[in-house]
Amino acid sequence: QVRLVESGGGSVQAGESLRLSCAASGLTPYANCMGWFRQAPGKERERLATIYTDAYLRSGDPLYADSVKGRFTISQDNAKNTLFLQMNSLKPEDTAMYSCAAKYLECSVDSDDYRYWGQGTQVTVSS
């Protein structure tokens, strides 16, 4: 059974940083894509960043949405089956529920393609 559990959200001031974690269990060790998404009230879910869990076997870098490129960094600790999202220079418009997700095979920009989801962690950025 696949399980994803996010942590690390909270309330911060604009310009500060947060690091989100997503502990994964039950996924096969290869050929998986994991990503971070967010959804603010009244808005559609937004893909932030994706990475292949077998990135050491593939070419190519993680992919980022333009809205977070240069500020957010996705990374993983394969030994601990944990996905991270380092968020720097946070802005009030980054306020949302942040979730990690996973799918088999190729990464996708469409959140509907992701089969497994965590429960989410709230990030609130005040000005």
Side-chain angles (χ1 to χ4, degrees), residues 2 9 11-13 22 26 37 39 43-44 46 49 58 60 65 69 73 82 109 116 123:
V2 176
S11 297
V12 297
Q13 298 287 323
C22 172
F37 297 76
Q39 188 167 22
K43 294 188 177 181
E44 292 187 355
E46 178 186 14
R58 300 172 182 251
K69 195 175 296 182
T73 302
T82 303
V109 299
Y116 305 107
V123 172

Side-chain angles (χ1 to χ4, degrees), residues 38-95:
R38 69 185 179 189
Q39 188 167 22
K43 294 188 177 181
E44 292 187 355
R45 182 178 283 164
E46 178 186 14
R47 177 195 64 91
L48 302 177
T50 55
I51 189 170
Y52 285 103
T53 56
D54 61 345
Y56 57 93
L57 297 176
R58 300 172 182 251
S59 60
D61 297 322
L63 297 179
Y64 295 92
D66 289 341
S67 59
V68 302
K69 195 175 296 182
R71 297 189 300 125
F72 291 9
T73 302
I74 189 171
S75 62
Q76 58 190 334
D77 183 336
N78 290 95
K80 297 182 179 179
N81 295 322
T82 303
L83 184 73
F84 302 102
L85 185 68
Q86 177 67 41
M87 306 186 295
N88 298 330
S89 302
L90 283 163
K91 306 175 182 179
E93 51 263 44
D94 293 320
T95 296

